[in-house]
Amino acid sequence: MALFKKSDYLVGLDIGSGAIKVAEIQESRGSRALVRFGMIPMPVGAMEEGMIKDPEQVAETIQELCTSADIQEPNAAISIAGYSVIVKNITVGKMSEEEMQENLHVEAEQFLPFDVQDVYLDFHILGDNPEKEGQMNVVLVAAKKDLIDEYVSVVELAGLNPCIMDVDAFALQNIFELNYGEVDQIVALVDVGATKTNVNIIKDNKSVLIRDVSMGGWQITSEIMSQGGCSAEEAEQWKLDPKSSKMDPEELSDIIAMASSRWCEEIRPAIDFFYSINEERPDKIVLSGGGSLVKGFKELLSRETGIPVEIMEPFSALEINDSQFDTSYLERIAPQAAICLGLALRKVGDK
């Protein structure tokens, strides 16, 4: 198609409420190399809880990031999450992919909390249901049309061509699989962003439960700004490096501890719900997102859930040129890059 360049690689563009991340990954002879990466703070107020409030400002910030990261590829993979996105594992009668496509609206309607005419639908057939003869398991994805259209519009305004719209949880799973391969454990992938957190529980290398929660690192940042009388930039710095703070150490510690506790209270029900259905608990939790860098959160989540917790290292399976990238910087911000890198693994023409 004339729309695309000869390359089938895509720019991974993660448009977050706290920051925008962009990456390019190229594959050669079975290995993958990071060729471009950049991250820039999202202007305060330009996005709130995953909703674009100032399209022009968001587009300008994307342009600025692409220029600074020397992005040449115009085709992009982007993703969404939140309450306007529904991901469900459903069971339907066995049918071909073409038949499923024809019956999608009818099959989906009973599972959606909003009018089927207001959403874009997609699906992925997982295979036969081993417990129900003549049935098959399907992943159903529904997203509000206004949310999708909003993201597509702002990316086009920035001069990029959005080729793939993904879901944050699936992008996270992509980069996890690249770095960890197939695992014989049940793993809960938990990404704590600025204003939203998603949980993706994987069993037998398949996503079996996805939950999105409207909470994240901005809770801490805004409280520090309020009590510390500082800018958003200073609050972010103090949140991740309390020693640099000009606030009373005990007051700052209380803010961080209270928010971290609330995060655990929101994450734990997803794990408990999985247990109630499967009578199994995840063998480990793998954390990503900016919230994973908050001091003490990893340890608190492990205590609250009784499950070992580790921080994702999304760059570990990629070849990285030390003369091109500041590897100490990449190591420091690595968990924040997970979704962006997962998107960069997508190719033109992927479903």
Side-chain angles (χ1 to χ4, degrees):
M1 294 190 299
L3 180 64
F4 301 121
K5 295 165 63 177
K6 290 182 179 179
S7 168
D8 63 353
Y9 297 109
L10 294 171
V11 172
L13 179 64
D14 177 15
I15 306 172
S17 296
I20 303 175
K21 285 79 69 177
V22 67
E24 282 188 54
I25 295 172
Q26 290 188 3
E27 185 176 355
S28 177
R29 298 177 182 177
S31 65
R32 291 180 174 86
L34 182 70
V35 294
R36 303 281 191 280
F37 179 79
M39 182 169 72
I40 192 171
M42 177 69 77
V44 175
M47 283 190 68
E48 294 178 7
E49 298 184 358
M51 304 298 291
I52 297 171
K53 299 298 184 181
D54 189 334
E56 289 77 16
Q57 192 171 33
V58 173
E60 288 173 6
T61 307
I62 294 172
Q63 288 177 323
E64 181 183 347
L65 174 60
C66 289
T67 298
S68 65
D70 193 28
I71 297 296
Q72 303 294 323
E73 175 61 56
N75 297 318
I78 58 178
S79 63
I80 52 174
Y83 289 120
S84 294
V85 183
I86 302 294
V87 180
K88 281 185 176 293
N89 290 321
I90 65 174
T91 301
V92 300
K94 283 186 67 173
M95 64 184 83
S96 67
E97 187 156 337
E98 292 75 18
E99 290 171 325
M100 184 67 195
Q101 187 68 57
E102 291 175 3
N103 292 285
L104 187 55
H105 277 72
V106 175
E107 296 289 354
E109 197 163 17
Q110 59 186 306
F111 299 102
L112 301 180
F114 25 66
D115 194 318
V116 72
Q117 301 301 321
D118 295 335
V119 299
Y120 291 118
L121 294 170
D122 202 354
F123 67 93
H124 175 66
I125 297 174
L126 297 174
D128 293 351
N129 186 311
E131 299 175 357
K132 297 179 181 179
E133 189 175 350
Q135 302 280 301
M136 66 182 189
N137 296 327
V138 176
V139 177
L140 173 69
V141 182
K144 284 292 206 61
K145 289 180 177 179
D146 55 358
L147 178 68
I148 296 283
D149 294 344
E150 189 176 66
Y151 271 69
V152 168
S153 177
V154 80
V155 172
E156 290 177 338
L157 186 61
L160 297 175
N161 176 32
C163 296
I164 286 180
M165 176 65 74
D166 209 335
V167 174
D168 284 3
F170 294 154
L172 195 62
Q173 188 173 343
N174 285 345
I175 196 64
F176 171 79
E177 290 174 352
L178 175 67
N179 286 279
Y180 293 79
E182 291 191 1
V183 295
D184 57 2
Q185 294 179 309
I186 301 172
V187 180
L189 304 180
V190 178
D191 186 88
V192 183
T195 60
K196 56 182 169 54
T197 294
N198 60 61
V199 181
N200 182 4
I201 299 181
I202 300 171
K203 180 181 179 182
D204 297 327
N205 299 293
K206 295 179 181 177
S207 176
V208 292
L209 186 146
I210 291 176
R211 290 286 185 273
D212 286 334
V213 181
S214 291
M215 53 139 215
W218 184 251
Q219 292 174 299
I220 296 177
T221 303
S222 60
E223 190 65 22
I224 293 174
M225 289 170 63
S226 174
Q227 296 194 32
C230 62
S231 67
E233 291 75 16
E234 288 174 315
E236 283 290 327
Q237 175 66 27
W238 299 355
K239 176 176 69 178
L240 299 178
D241 181 16
K243 291 182 180 179
S244 68
S245 168
K246 297 176 183 178
M247 287 182 66
D248 175 81
E250 187 172 334
E251 185 179 11
L252 179 60
S253 178
D254 287 346
I255 291 172
I256 294 173
M258 188 173 298
S260 298
S261 181
R262 287 200 296 266
W263 296 351
C264 292
E265 289 172 3
E266 295 292 343
I267 294 167
R268 194 171 53 230
I271 294 172
D272 291 343
F273 180 72
F274 173 79
Y275 176 78
S276 71
I277 296 174
N278 299 273
E279 296 187 352
E280 295 179 292
R281 299 181 71 78
D283 297 291
K284 66 178 178 181
I285 296 171
V286 179
L287 272 179
S288 60
S292 68
L293 301 174
V294 171
K295 185 175 177 60
F297 173 55
K298 182 183 80 167
E299 293 76 15
L300 179 62
L301 182 60
S302 182
R303 289 198 303 271
E304 290 291 319
T305 60
I307 299 171
V309 178
E310 62 185 74
I311 305 295
M312 185 181 287
E313 298 178 1
F315 291 109
S316 62
L318 299 174
E319 293 184 1
I320 297 176
N321 187 332
D322 291 352
S323 64
Q324 181 181 358
F325 296 100
D326 180 348
T327 52
S328 63
Y329 167 75
L330 294 183
E331 182 178 347
R332 189 168 65 252
I333 59 88
Q336 294 173 270
I339 290 174
C340 170
L341 294 174
L343 291 171
L345 294 174
R346 302 296 301 271
K347 300 286 184 65
V348 170
D350 283 355
K351 187 177 184 296

